[in-house]
Amino acid sequence: MPTVRLQKISTKAPKGFSKDKTKQKTLLMLEEISELQNLLYAESKQAILVVIQGMDASGKDGLIRDVFGSMNPQGVQVESFKAPTPKELSHDFLWRIHLHAPAKGMIQVFNRSHYEDILVTRVHKWCDDALALKRMKAINDFEELLQAHNQTRILKFYLHISPEEQQIRLQERLADKTKQWKYNEKDFEEAKLWKEYMAAYEACFNTCNKLPWHIIPSDQNWYKEYVVAEILLNTLKSMKMRFPGLKK
Amino acid sequence: MPTVRLQKISTKAPKGFSKDKTKQKTLLMLEEISELQNLLYAESKQAILVVIQGMDASGKDGLIRDVFGSMNPQGVQVESFKAPTPKELSHDFLWRIHLHAPAKGMIQVFNRSHYEDILVTRVHKWCDDALALKRMKAINDFEELLQAHNQTRILKFYLHISPEEQQIRLQERLADKTKQWKYNEKDFEEAKLWKEYMAAYEACFNTCNKLPWHIIPSDQNWYKEYVVAEILLNTLKSMKMRFPGLKK
């Protein structure tokens, strides 16, 4: 597996992609996805776990709304992982995560995830290199468990934006009354740690890669949604699902 | 509060409702609902609990897909309550329900609910009249708790179909390969207990009515969706929500 170097990966759509045509293609894919999600739910033999990571304002919420919002909510669950509570901290770091692993038939979306335990924690030195390595091993083992013992496909998406695009979006949050609730006063402080975050993400991508990460160019939301929808659709298509027929 | 007599309530749309126009109105309402749900989530001071009950094949799943599927899945959770597990049975009947009460900012949908403990259980005599009355009291208290202590609006919908329409839909499930997975061999047996179910439902509506039930004519899906969307929209509008602005 080639080493990931984020700086060398574009945050924008490749040249030649038309916004309007791409959006139309995405809509068509979402219809197919919705059909296949119904089949996944009906069959109830396999599951999908979608892990979404990215810097502040990289568009995680919007992705969830626009791609996963097109499916039957009965078969899709979203869990947003915030700073752990005291009770959660009194367990191993995967305890609160395991609780939300998808049941067969379900699509589970993680808005942030167990990966924060080797990202924000590492940037702030709450987790040293040795502990980070131990956690990475545990994460690999955990994902293998979900795959091997509950037929779970795991899709890991990193929403890749440029620091310039992040600044624009954070300013927007400050200025727009309907977006201010998303703004956190620490956001600009955290943004200054860009290099440290990129280093932590790269270490993660290069170590927790038994299941490789999808690095999604995310400066343009329409392109981000297109790429994620395509990966999701191809995954669903590859799962060889069938309607189960009458119960015996 | 007038006594509910289900036989006297139509299961069909009133005369004069055009299917196409009604569907268009519903779509417009769903857009408004989606906007207001974003505001509910942003404000995070109030919650909504939607309880959906109805006979087999009354269209509960479809309602969830078509009305609640239009919202951001991050702010909507669906819980389908099946027969309780041994662990759940070792607790009071509201224990597993309370776990899924909506957090502030959220819309929680119950596909079946704590009401099964005074419905299917009563029809099959697993719960006698005295116990049913005790449970009804507990349910009233529980709903008051959610209202008074977590600013929760509770919307209770009964999807009202005719026994003839149910037979048609159950036959469809048997015949259609993509629907067979929903068919349960006991469905036709249960359908024979129609009268007993109606009696149990009426007792429920006439006792657990501190928050009155909405009886939704559901023989036509387009009308059912219209009525539910309208109630949901009016509820959201009445909640006097505001974007919270910057955190202090």
Side-chain angles (χ1 to χ4, degrees):
Chain A
M1 197 142 324
T3 306
V4 173
R5 286 280 294 135
L6 286 170
Q7 251 194 325
K8 297 198 175 166
I9 302 174
S10 171
T11 57
K12 294 197 167 52
K15 274 182 192 161
F17 268 83
S18 126
K19 180 174 170 178
D20 287 349
K21 277 188 191 163
T22 304
K23 277 188 153 187
Q24 279 176 2
K25 279 190 200 168
T26 303
L27 283 179
L28 290 175
M29 287 196 290
L30 290 181
E31 281 177 30
E32 264 190 278
I33 286 171
S34 181
E35 292 285 317
L36 287 166
Q37 182 257 325
N38 180 49
L39 181 53
L40 178 78
Y41 188 80
E43 190 198 51
S44 275
K45 286 191 175 172
Q46 304 176 71
I48 295 181
L49 172 61
V50 177
V51 175
I52 304 176
Q53 286 287 158
M55 298 293 284
D56 288 332
S58 59
K60 301 182 286 295
D61 291 344
L63 179 69
I64 291 169
R65 183 187 62 232
D66 294 328
V67 171
F68 297 90
S70 67
M71 287 176 260
N72 186 342
Q74 191 148 252
V76 180
Q77 283 186 327
V78 181
E79 187 64 25
S80 299
F81 290 99
K82 312 264 157 96
T85 64
K87 182 173 173 177
E88 288 168 348
L89 283 172
S90 74
H91 290 270
D92 70 81
F93 76 105
L94 292 171
W95 179 80
R96 65 173 186 156
I97 307 295
H98 210 154
L99 189 65
H100 296 283
K104 291 186 187 78
M106 297 293 291
I107 296 181
Q108 173 73 50
V109 180
F110 284 177
N111 185 349
R112 301 191 186 271
S113 67
H114 44 302
Y115 282 98
E116 291 296 336
D117 290 295
I118 52 166
L119 293 167
V120 60
T121 47
R122 219 174 167 195
V123 167
H124 289 282
K125 319 268 184 219
W126 306 324
C127 164
D128 64 22
D129 291 357
L131 180 57
L133 266 174
K134 274 173 74 176
R135 286 186 176 169
M136 288 173 181
K137 162 125 186 19
I139 289 174
N140 280 332
D141 293 347
F142 174 66
E143 293 182 355
E144 209 173 304
L145 170 76
L146 302 188
Q147 276 190 299
H149 293 268
N150 206 39
Q151 287 64 58
T152 306
R153 303 282 179 125
I154 304 178
L155 297 174
K156 304 190 285 190
F157 297 114
Y158 170 69
L159 307 191
H160 186 37
I161 56 168
S162 63
E164 297 76 24
E165 179 65 24
Q166 188 196 37
Q167 287 297 321
I168 293 170
R169 295 184 185 182
L170 289 179
Q171 291 294 352
E172 241 176 52
R173 281 192 183 173
L174 257 179
D176 182 342
K177 273 197 173 174
T178 71
K179 290 185 177 172
Q180 286 176 345
W181 62 282
K182 289 192 160 199
Y183 177 77
N184 191 311
E185 55 179 348
K186 284 185 193 149
D187 285 353
F188 283 104
E189 285 302 307
E190 287 295 301
K192 287 182 192 155
L193 299 167
W194 190 270
K195 269 193 181 173
E196 288 81 354
Y197 269 103
M198 291 306 107
Y201 267 110
E202 284 174 358
C204 158
F205 299 150
N206 292 319
T207 306
C208 291
N209 60 2
K210 277 199 182 172
L211 298 166
W213 281 81
H214 298 281
I215 317 287
I216 312 292
S218 297
D219 277 0
Q220 297 130 308
N221 287 323
W222 56 270
Y223 185 68
K224 165 193 77 178
E225 286 158 17
Y226 168 77
V227 178
V228 169
E230 195 176 39
I231 293 167
L232 181 60
L233 178 57
N234 287 337
T235 302
L236 282 160
K237 280 182 178 169
S238 74
M239 289 170 84
K240 300 196 176 88
M241 299 176 290
R242 292 174 53 193
F243 281 103
L246 287 170
K247 290 174 195 111
K248 272 158 206 159
Chain B
M1 198 146 317
T3 305
V4 174
R5 287 282 293 138
L6 284 170
Q7 252 194 325
K8 298 198 175 166
I9 303 174
S10 171
T11 57
K12 294 198 168 51
K15 274 181 191 162
F17 268 82
S18 125
K19 179 173 173 179
D20 286 349
K21 278 189 192 164
T22 303
K23 277 188 155 187
Q24 278 176 2
K25 279 190 200 169
T26 303
L27 283 179
L28 289 175
M29 288 197 288
L30 290 181
E31 281 177 32
E32 265 191 278
I33 287 171
S34 182
E35 292 285 318
L36 286 166
Q37 182 257 327
N38 181 48
L39 180 53
L40 178 79
Y41 188 80
E43 190 198 50
S44 274
K45 287 190 175 172
Q46 304 176 73
I48 295 180
L49 172 60
V50 177
V51 175
I52 304 174
Q53 286 287 158
M55 298 294 282
D56 288 333
S58 59
K60 300 182 287 297
D61 292 344
L63 179 69
I64 292 170
R65 183 186 63 231
D66 293 329
V67 171
F68 297 90
S70 68
M71 286 176 261
N72 186 341
Q74 190 148 251
V76 180
Q77 284 186 327
V78 181
E79 188 64 25
S80 299
F81 291 99
K82 313 262 156 96
T85 63
K87 182 174 175 178
E88 288 167 348
L89 283 172
S90 74
H91 291 270
D92 69 82
F93 77 105
L94 292 171
W95 179 80
R96 64 173 188 157
I97 308 292
H98 209 156
L99 187 68
H100 296 284
K104 292 187 187 77
M106 298 294 291
I107 296 179
Q108 174 72 51
V109 181
F110 284 177
N111 186 347
R112 302 188 185 271
S113 66
H114 43 302
Y115 283 98
E116 291 296 337
D117 290 294
I118 53 168
L119 293 167
V120 62
T121 47
R122 220 174 166 195
V123 168
H124 289 282
K125 318 267 184 220
W126 306 323
C127 163
D128 64 21
D129 292 355
L131 180 57
L133 265 176
K134 275 172 76 175
R135 284 185 178 170
M136 286 173 181
K137 161 123 187 22
I139 289 174
N140 280 332
D141 293 346
F142 174 66
E143 293 183 354
E144 209 174 304
L145 169 76
L146 302 188
Q147 275 190 300
H149 293 269
N150 207 39
Q151 285 66 58
T152 307
R153 304 282 181 125
I154 304 179
L155 298 174
K156 304 189 286 192
F157 298 113
Y158 171 68
L159 307 191
H160 186 38
I161 56 169
S162 63
E164 296 76 23
E165 179 65 25
Q166 188 196 36
Q167 288 296 321
I168 294 170
R169 294 185 186 180
L170 289 179
Q171 292 293 352
E172 240 176 52
R173 282 192 182 172
L174 257 180
D176 182 343
K177 273 198 176 176
T178 71
K179 291 184 178 174
Q180 286 175 344
W181 63 280
K182 289 192 161 200
Y183 177 77
N184 191 312
E185 55 178 347
K186 285 186 193 147
D187 284 352
F188 283 104
E189 285 302 307
E190 288 294 302
K192 286 182 196 157
L193 299 167
W194 190 270
K195 270 194 181 173
E196 288 81 352
Y197 270 104
M198 291 306 108
Y201 267 111
E202 284 174 358
C204 159
F205 299 150
N206 292 321
T207 306
C208 292
N209 61 1
K210 278 199 181 175
L211 296 167
W213 280 82
H214 299 280
I215 317 287
I216 312 293
S218 299
D219 277 1
Q220 298 130 308
N221 287 322
W222 56 268
Y223 185 69
K224 165 192 79 179
E225 286 159 17
Y226 168 77
V227 178
V228 169
E230 195 177 38
I231 293 168
L232 181 60
L233 178 57
N234 287 337
T235 302
L236 282 161
K237 279 183 178 170
S238 74
M239 290 171 82
K240 300 196 175 90
M241 300 176 289
R242 292 174 54 193
F243 281 106
L246 286 170
K247 289 175 194 108
K248 273 155 204 161

